[in-house]
Amino acid sequence: MKRLSLGAFLGMAVLLIAASRYEKPPPEPPPKPRYFGTAVSPMDHERSDTFVRPVYVNGGWVSAAGPGGSTVTGALSLPMPWHPGLTVRVKWRRCQPYGKNCRWIEKDVLVHPYDHSGGTNLHILENDDVLIIPTMLAPNNPDYPGPGYPEKNFYARKGISK
């Protein structure tokens, strides 16, 4: 049987000690998500004479739903970049004229994919379907991925006093 020389033995000992003291560097923390703020313009597309107010997104008041594009009072924080499965919680109250027969509706809504956004359009459609579209385009642009502006006339006088 061959014996190790003193130099080989010491070399192996140094390697074992060095290996036992080797520590993995701590893992890098995941990158902090970046968010951006975007104004929200809620629009009511239901053709009935009901109205929607107020509208909340992720618990924050954004406005009453109207014809869109005219007044923006609320905002929403969205992550950058967009990722599949991104949702927001939308809650609104729909009432008949003079505040009668009001009902609250609340649902989680998928956010339409975006690369960048100049504003977010919230479309409340028939049957309480909802679209959230962050975009640089206005709803009347032919390349806009959702419905146009509501066709409902919010200012028409109804009833006997036409």
Side-chain angles (χ1 to χ4, degrees), residues 65-106:
S70 56
T71 304
V72 177
T73 53
L76 169 66
S77 180
L78 291 172
M80 191 55 153
W82 173 87
H83 58 83
L86 177 61
T87 61
V88 295
R89 186 105 178 132
V90 180
K91 179 179 178 181
W92 68 96
R93 185 177 66 195
R94 181 173 293 284
C95 295
Q96 291 179 342
Y98 307 108
K100 298 190 181 207
N101 298 322
C102 297
R103 64 187 171 94
W104 283 97
I105 301 109
E106 186 170 3

Side-chain angles (χ1 to χ4, degrees), residues 22-156:
Y22 174 74
E23 293 180 22
K24 289 183 182 177
E28 285 190 31
K32 287 185 179 181
R34 294 180 4 219
Y35 289 87
F36 68 95
T38 175
V40 179
S41 181
M43 295 178 238
D44 180 12
H45 290 270
E46 188 175 274
R47 293 183 187 270
S48 70
D49 62 351
T50 61
F51 59 91
V52 172
R53 74 176 72 111
V55 178
Y56 297 90
V57 178
N58 288 343
W61 177 78
V62 293
S63 186
S70 56
T71 304
V72 177
T73 53
L76 169 66
S77 180
L78 291 172
M80 191 55 153
W82 173 87
H83 58 83
L86 177 61
T87 61
V88 295
R89 186 105 178 132
V90 180
K91 179 179 178 181
W92 68 96
R93 185 177 66 195
R94 181 173 293 284
C95 295
Q96 291 179 342
Y98 307 108
K100 298 190 181 207
N101 298 322
C102 297
R103 64 187 171 94
W104 283 97
I105 301 109
E106 186 170 3
K107 56 175 49 179
D108 291 321
V109 180
L110 286 170
V111 176
H112 192 274
Y114 55 85
D115 289 328
H116 47 279
S117 172
T120 299
N121 293 317
L122 188 157
H123 299 274
I124 301 175
L125 306 168
E126 299 283 334
N127 302 319
D128 297 323
D129 289 329
V130 179
L131 294 173
I132 300 281
I133 304 175
T135 183
M136 295 296 288
L137 305 173
N140 59 355
N141 186 300
D143 294 330
Y144 183 72
Y149 288 111
E151 294 178 16
K152 180 177 193 172
N153 186 345
F154 289 85
Y155 307 107

